[in-house]
Amino acid sequence: MNGALVIAGQELRAGLRNRWVLATTLLLGVLALSLTLLGSTPTGELGADPLAIVVVSLASLTIFLLPLIALLLSFDAVVGEAERGTLLLLLAYPLARWQVVLGKFTGHLAILLVATAFGYGAAGLALVIKDGRAAGLDWQAFGGLIGSATLLGAAFLALGMLVSVLVRERATAAGLAVGIWFALVLVYDAALLGVLVAGQNRLLSADLLDALLLINPADAFRLLNLTSAESARALSGMVGLGQTGRLPLWALLASLLGWTLLPLCLAVAALGRREP
């Protein structure tokens, strides 16, 4: 386990020195601040909880941006080492291969946590300064957003890690990473909506629709944040789904955890068979 922590620390230090990581962190912070300052403007007229509006806005931002950042962080974790000729040296150290995968994953997750805490923390602080109060706001939903965003990022980090172990060229890994983001974040929901519209709600039963939503980490994150709190359901227009949906909180969390653990286990198994 000490070896995994050493690798994680090395990845974290390298990531904090990386200008690309700094740029994405600043981008996440700027977008979060923009949504906070602009999105909470109409709360005075609507009488809505300004923090609930921020949660709904940031949830939409997270679904599109955080998985892409996670995949771009992890897609070259192993294949990049192989192309630079350092993978053989890394595997020559007295480390189990699962420690290599876990260490790199932990380091990248720490980087993602720093970016998320900076961006969303700045958004929460800006809202408190603008609104002039902290008490009475729905901080539980805000904390749930940060926690579930971490799980969503971990799921896509694990997918990027699996891709990095399976392929032999960095360009191939980059293409597959973008393809995974495009398929799970953009195409999946559009295809599901198309089936629902074409079949006029007769092709998919309620149970099947729940299952299809559950197997996509982006949808699990969306449901977790937009239907778990009453204020978020009202603002996102998902009141009916929140009242009638049969997906419990534990199932949504299990989906995100499953999308993290399964790719990591597959990556460990694949790296064990890979020749440097």
Side-chain angles (χ1 to χ4, degrees), residues 12-262:
L12 178 59
R13 289 189 295 270
L16 294 178
R17 292 193 301 265
N18 192 320
R19 293 181 180 179
W20 181 87
V21 174
L22 178 61
T24 56
T25 301
L26 292 175
L27 174 64
L28 188 62
V30 169
L31 291 176
L33 280 173
S34 300
L35 289 174
T36 300
L37 297 176
L38 298 177
S40 60
T41 300
T43 57
E45 298 178 3
L46 297 177
D49 184 346
L51 194 57
I53 293 180
V54 170
V55 168
V56 172
S57 301
L58 290 182
S60 300
L61 170 68
T62 301
I63 289 172
F64 291 101
L65 189 57
L66 204 63
L68 183 60
I69 293 175
L71 287 167
L72 293 179
L73 274 174
S74 60
F75 81 92
D76 67 340
V78 174
V79 70
E81 297 271 10
E83 286 197 350
R84 291 189 295 268
T86 56
L87 181 61
L88 182 60
L89 177 63
L90 180 63
L91 296 180
Y93 286 106
L95 295 171
R97 298 200 175 191
W98 68 265
Q99 291 179 314
V100 175
V101 173
L102 183 61
K104 286 182 172 292
F105 171 80
T106 304
H108 293 151
L109 183 60
I111 295 171
L112 204 62
L113 276 172
V114 171
T116 305
F118 171 79
Y120 294 175
L125 179 61
L127 180 63
V128 170
I129 295 174
K130 178 184 176 182
D131 195 66
R133 61 188 176 95
L137 299 179
D138 193 359
W139 290 106
Q140 183 177 355
F142 189 73
L145 170 68
I146 296 176
S148 58
T150 302
L151 289 176
L152 179 66
F156 280 89
L157 280 175
L159 287 170
M161 188 71 64
L162 176 60
V163 167
S164 186
V165 173
L166 291 177
V167 303
R168 294 288 177 175
E169 296 182 359
R170 191 170 180 269
T172 305
L176 286 175
V178 173
I180 289 173
W181 176 82
F182 189 76
L184 293 179
V185 175
L186 298 180
V187 175
Y188 189 90
D189 284 342
L192 195 59
L193 181 60
V195 172
L196 288 172
V197 172
Q200 297 180 352
N201 294 331
R202 291 194 299 267
L203 292 179
L204 297 178
S205 64
D207 290 335
L208 180 57
L209 179 60
D210 284 345
L212 291 174
L213 291 173
L214 193 62
I215 62 175
N216 186 349
D219 284 327
F221 171 84
R222 181 184 287 112
L223 291 174
L224 191 60
N225 285 279
L226 300 186
T227 65
S228 58
E230 183 178 353
S231 56
R233 289 198 300 267
L235 291 169
S236 61
M238 302 181 74
V239 176
L241 183 58
Q243 292 174 345
T244 61
R246 290 169 291 179
L247 291 176
L249 177 64
W250 67 264
L252 298 172
L253 292 173
S255 174
L256 292 173
L257 288 173
W259 274 98
T260 302
L261 296 177
L262 181 59

